[in-house]
């Protein structure tokens, strides 16, 4: 797999990725608990043992756990991310039930009218119904796409202006409208998400978020995630 270069916005001590590279999408790790050491201590509690620091033997243990689907030691930790992504990406994302979610409500607040406009178009794969390929520019396609967005935005604002409630007015917004949510999960669940969403069959627009998630969590679980990458033949840094 090839690495994608993210536009990185560095705030004081925060790293916010822009996975779709449009200046609107964002992905930030806002909280993390646990470490590689917690994984081995969870596994070794079976023998009543606990260590204060990681040893080379522990690396082999983590590898063994991953190879044999001994997954529960990977659940004593937690990540929380703040994500801004198009509704159709988030719809795929939230199918992952082993996680917790809270999302902005366009019943409570007016939608900011931010839309995802792809920088390239891809062709529909004729053999694989869920795949697309290539990257091309087409100004007619782009014009039509943008016209639709502008029209939807105009009608949305008109409905709000006429007093229609936000929860009904949002019905005219397209699925490329941006939404924002908090995603919390443990490493076991995240590795499952990454396995499915880094796969070439996953849609490009969610794949780049998966790449961003991996980039953000790698420094916190370097041993477990490097072993997991090897096992799953994933190397985004090549
Ligand atoms: C490339 C791709 C294409 C897809 N296409 C479609 C599509 O066309 N239509 C569609 O509807 N979905 C589609 N999906 C979504 C897919 O079916 C899963 O819902 C999604 O990937 C979440 O996976 P999961 O259920 O394993 O994860 P999670 O919901 O996080 O669950 C993790 C694991 O927990 C266990 N688990 C969770 N809930 C249950 C349960 N109720 N019963 C038993 N075990 C459970 C399972 O072992 C599961 O693997 C697609 C996913 C991918 C990656």
């Amino acid at each position: 797999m090839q690495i994608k270069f993210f536009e990185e916005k560095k705030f004081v001590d925060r790293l916010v990725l822009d996975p779709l590279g449009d200046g609107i999408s964002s992905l930030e790790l806002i909280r993390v608990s646990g470490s590689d050491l917690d994984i081995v201590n969870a596994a070794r509690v079976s023998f009543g043992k606990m260590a204060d620091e990681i040893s080379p033997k522990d690396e082999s243990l983590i590898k063994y756990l991953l190879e044999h689907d001994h997954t529960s030691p990977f659940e004593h930790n937690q990540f929380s991310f703040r994500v801004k992504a198009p509704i159709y990406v988030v719809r795929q994302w939230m199918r992952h039930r082993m996680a917790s979610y809270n999302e902005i409500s366009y019943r409570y607040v007016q939608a900011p009218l931010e839309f995802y406009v792809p920088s390239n178009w891809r062709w529909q794969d004729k053999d694989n119904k869920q795949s697309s390929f290539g990257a091309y520019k087409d100004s007619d396609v782009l014009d039509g796409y943008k016209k639709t967005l502008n029209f939807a935005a105009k009608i949305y604002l008109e409905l709000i202006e006429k007093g229609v409630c936000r929860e009904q007015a949002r019905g005219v917004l397209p699925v490329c409208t941006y939404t924002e949510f908090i995603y919390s999960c443990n490493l076991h669940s995240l590795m499952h998400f990454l396995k499915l969403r880094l796969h070439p069959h996953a849609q490009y627009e969610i794949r780049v978020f998966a790449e961003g998630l991996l980039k953000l969590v790698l420094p916190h679980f370097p041993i477990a995630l490097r072993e997991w990458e090897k096992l799953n033949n994933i190397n985004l840094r090549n």
Side-chain angles (χ1 to χ4, degrees):
M1 244 177 237
Q2 290 300 304
I3 190 165
K4 292 279 177 319
F5 293 97
F6 298 97
E7 185 187 314
E8 293 173 0
K9 301 171 193 162
K10 280 192 177 118
F11 297 105
V12 190
D13 55 353
R14 293 164 54 196
L15 175 61
V16 184
L17 304 182
D18 177 5
L20 291 168
D22 62 356
I24 307 175
S25 77
S26 67
L27 176 62
E28 181 182 10
L29 177 60
I30 54 174
R31 203 169 308 104
V32 58
S33 74
S35 64
D36 286 322
L37 183 61
D38 294 307
I39 297 171
V40 292
N41 278 336
R44 292 228 167 90
V45 74
S46 317
F47 301 99
K49 289 197 176 147
M50 186 169 148
D52 290 328
E53 53 183 61
I54 209 106
S55 75
K57 252 172 86 182
D58 294 334
E59 294 190 22
S60 311
L61 174 60
I62 289 178
K63 183 167 183 261
Y64 176 89
L65 295 172
L66 285 168
E67 282 172 354
H68 293 84
D69 283 331
H70 186 359
T71 48
S72 52
F74 298 86
E75 294 168 5
H76 305 281
N77 49 63
Q78 210 202 12
F79 307 104
S80 288
F81 303 90
R82 193 173 182 105
V83 189
K84 192 164 176 182
I87 289 171
Y88 66 76
V89 171
V90 177
R91 190 154 177 186
Q92 295 178 342
W93 198 314
M94 290 187 177
R95 297 302 309 280
H96 295 261
R97 294 156 291 178
M98 294 298 112
S100 301
Y101 300 94
N102 279 93
E103 187 180 7
I104 191 168
S105 170
Y106 293 149
R107 297 178 76 194
Y108 299 153
V109 295
Q110 199 170 313
L113 300 178
E114 293 172 309
F115 304 114
Y116 170 57
V117 180
S119 52
N120 291 302
W121 306 103
R122 304 187 294 275
W123 283 281
Q124 177 60 49
D125 192 306
K126 297 267 189 298
D127 300 322
N128 185 336
K129 290 189 175 63
Q130 67 180 359
S131 282
S132 57
F133 65 97
Y136 68 100
K137 305 265 181 208
D138 185 321
S139 53
D140 283 349
V141 172
L142 185 62
D143 280 355
Y145 189 97
K146 282 187 170 170
K147 256 185 215 148
T148 309
L149 300 184
N150 286 333
F151 186 65
K154 179 174 165 286
I155 301 295
Y156 177 74
L157 293 175
E158 277 175 18
L159 292 176
I160 299 279
E161 186 65 24
K162 285 179 178 153
V164 174
C165 57
R166 290 182 291 267
E167 65 185 8
Q168 287 182 315
R170 65 181 169 173
V172 298
L173 295 175
V175 288
C176 67
T177 304
Y178 270 94
T179 183
E180 219 174 322
F181 66 104
I182 307 283
Y183 165 56
S184 298
C185 63
N186 61 43
L187 184 59
H188 176 195
S189 171
L190 189 75
M191 290 189 299
H192 182 64
F193 179 99
L194 293 176
K195 189 172 177 178
L196 295 175
R197 300 302 178 176
L198 286 173
H199 193 278
H201 285 169
Q203 182 170 343
Y204 166 82
E205 280 80 8
I206 197 164
R207 231 160 55 216
V208 291
F209 276 94
E211 290 170 7
L213 289 171
L214 181 55
K215 179 186 167 115
L216 292 173
V217 296
L218 247 171
H220 299 281
F221 291 87
I223 299 172
L225 285 167
R226 298 233 185 260
E227 288 303 334
W228 174 84
E229 281 182 328
K230 276 189 232 158
L231 196 65
N232 291 283
N233 216 10
I234 290 166
N235 191 348
L236 300 182
R237 285 163 301 287
N238 276 344

